[in-house]
Amino acid sequence: MNKFLLLGLFLYFSCVLAYAEHKDMRKENPHEIRVGITEDIFLQSIEMPVGAYGEEVDVNDGYHITGNIEHSYHATGHLFMEYQYRFNHWFGLGAHLDMRGGMWKERKVDYCQWENNSYTINRYTVRMSFMPTVRFTYFNGKTVSLYASLGVGPHFHFKETKLQAIYPAADLCWFGMSMGKKHWFCDMELGITPLPYMVDRLVRLGIGYRF
């Protein structure tokens, strides 16, 4: 959560003196690009390594133990990029790319009373979604703009370099707040990604540029 706090503070102080974009300005700068980060609490809970597992086999006059020990888990959070073309003051059409990585170490153990063999492997997974999106801005005020958006598309799950599966992806932003003056802006969103993450991507923070 520290990375969200630091990014949130940066966005806050960047936008303290900014005002929301007037709807007439959208005609001059219809293109919008942004990058940001989203929490991944649900994925961390299901992807966290289980710890140690294996088996012990009795042999004549001794023992033989094999197993794996998984540890040192880290995750990037959901990192995203988005492009929007704003046709008017209330409707936009674009594309959203979301990527997330999970990394941990796996120690393989194989030893008995005469020999001890062990080595460590770096493991990682990459999840990526590409979703065309539609956005509806339902409030244009002097200080903020409020919007909602919907995206659908494919989701790719890689383990190391091997593609494990392709799922449908869907994302709903039910509350978005944008603050910015002319070209630069920052935003905060509340939403949910029911496919394939169930309850991931609940809080999103981003910064972007209009041209």
Side-chain angles (χ1 to χ4, degrees), residues 32 34 81-85 93-98 130-134:
E32 177 182 295
R34 66 178 181 132
M81 299 177 58
E82 184 175 277
Y83 167 79
Q84 282 278 328
Y85 182 82
L93 183 65
H96 185 99
L97 176 64
D98 177 88
F130 178 76
M131 294 175 285
T133 59
V134 292

Side-chain angles (χ1 to χ4, degrees), residues 48-87:
M48 188 78 68
V50 297
Y53 56 93
E55 61 180 354
E56 180 175 348
V57 181
D58 292 328
V59 296
N60 294 333
D61 300 324
Y63 58 87
H64 181 201
I65 297 176
T66 62
N68 296 351
I69 303 173
E70 297 180 327
H71 59 94
S72 302
Y73 177 80
H74 301 283
T76 63
H78 291 279
L79 307 175
F80 68 83
M81 299 177 58
E82 184 175 277
Y83 167 79
Q84 282 278 328
Y85 182 82
R86 302 174 302 162
F87 289 90

Side-chain angles (χ1 to χ4, degrees), residues 81-172:
M81 299 177 58
E82 184 175 277
Y83 167 79
Q84 282 278 328
Y85 182 82
R86 302 174 302 162
F87 289 90
N88 50 43
H89 68 278
W90 65 271
F91 179 74
L93 183 65
H96 185 99
L97 176 64
D98 177 88
M99 298 187 68
R100 179 198 178 271
M103 298 144 283
W104 67 94
K105 296 183 181 295
E106 179 180 357
R107 183 180 175 217
K108 292 188 174 291
V109 177
D110 184 1
Y111 66 92
C112 62
Q113 64 185 105
W114 304 285
E115 188 176 12
N116 185 348
N117 295 316
S118 65
Y119 58 94
T120 299
I121 301 174
N122 293 320
R123 298 292 193 189
Y124 65 90
T125 62
V126 176
R127 299 173 183 266
M128 179 175 62
S129 298
F130 178 76
M131 294 175 285
T133 59
V134 292
R135 181 189 296 179
F136 305 94
T137 300
Y138 53 87
F139 178 77
N140 289 281
K142 294 182 179 181
T143 56
V144 296
S145 293
L146 304 180
Y147 61 88
S149 66
L150 174 67
V152 293
H155 169 80
F156 304 92
H157 178 200
F158 295 88
K159 186 172 183 181
E160 278 86 40
T161 58
K162 184 178 180 181
L163 178 62
Q164 297 291 301
I166 301 177
Y167 304 105
D171 179 79
L172 171 64

Side-chain angles (χ1 to χ4, degrees), residues 175-192:
F175 176 81
M177 180 174 63
S178 176
M179 296 182 293
K181 188 175 183 179
K182 294 184 179 180
H183 297 291
W184 291 100
F185 69 95
C186 58
D187 56 34
M188 185 273 291
E189 296 180 351
L190 302 177
I192 191 170

